[in-house]
Amino acid sequence: MGPWDALVHLANFVMPALGVGVVAALLSKLLWRAQLRGVPLLKLAGWASAAGVAVLLAGLVVFGRDGKMATYGAMVLACALALLVAGWAPGRR
């Protein structure tokens, strides 16, 4: 595998976490507009995406391969928990 292929492979590995993190942050800003007014969208998306990538890495270590539905389910839960911490934790603004 060449460097370009490795980069594409890595990008394809983290894309689900980045996509879920950004979409979840956008939806949370839309649904809880008043409560999340002072929290930047990039902060929410960053926290959710980072949590998703961490869970994908943990799933790769635990299961030995990528693409398990249990890992994707855990990724969604981790994104939701990260949004909760980033959006509603004390001192969030």
Side-chain angles (χ1 to χ4, degrees), residues 14 17-22 43-55 75 79 82:
V14 298
L18 297 177
V20 169
V22 169
K43 178 181 178 182
L44 292 174
W47 274 85
S49 297
V53 169
V55 168
M75 178 185 64
C79 284

Side-chain angles (χ1 to χ4, degrees), residues 13 52-78:
F13 176 73
V53 169
V55 168
L56 285 180
L57 286 172
L60 183 63
V61 169
V62 169
F63 294 119
R65 65 184 208 92
D66 179 32
K68 292 286 230 179
M69 289 306 293
T71 303
Y72 290 138
M75 178 185 64
V76 170
L77 290 175

Side-chain angles (χ1 to χ4, degrees), residues 1-41:
M1 179 183 311
W4 178 252
D5 292 331
L7 182 65
V8 169
H9 191 71
L10 182 64
N12 284 328
F13 176 73
V14 298
M15 254 332 139
L18 297 177
V20 169
V22 169
V23 169
L26 285 170
L27 287 174
S28 65
K29 283 288 268 190
L30 179 68
L31 292 173
W32 293 286
R33 195 172 309 137
Q35 294 90 342
L36 294 176
R37 184 163 306 186
V39 183
L41 179 63

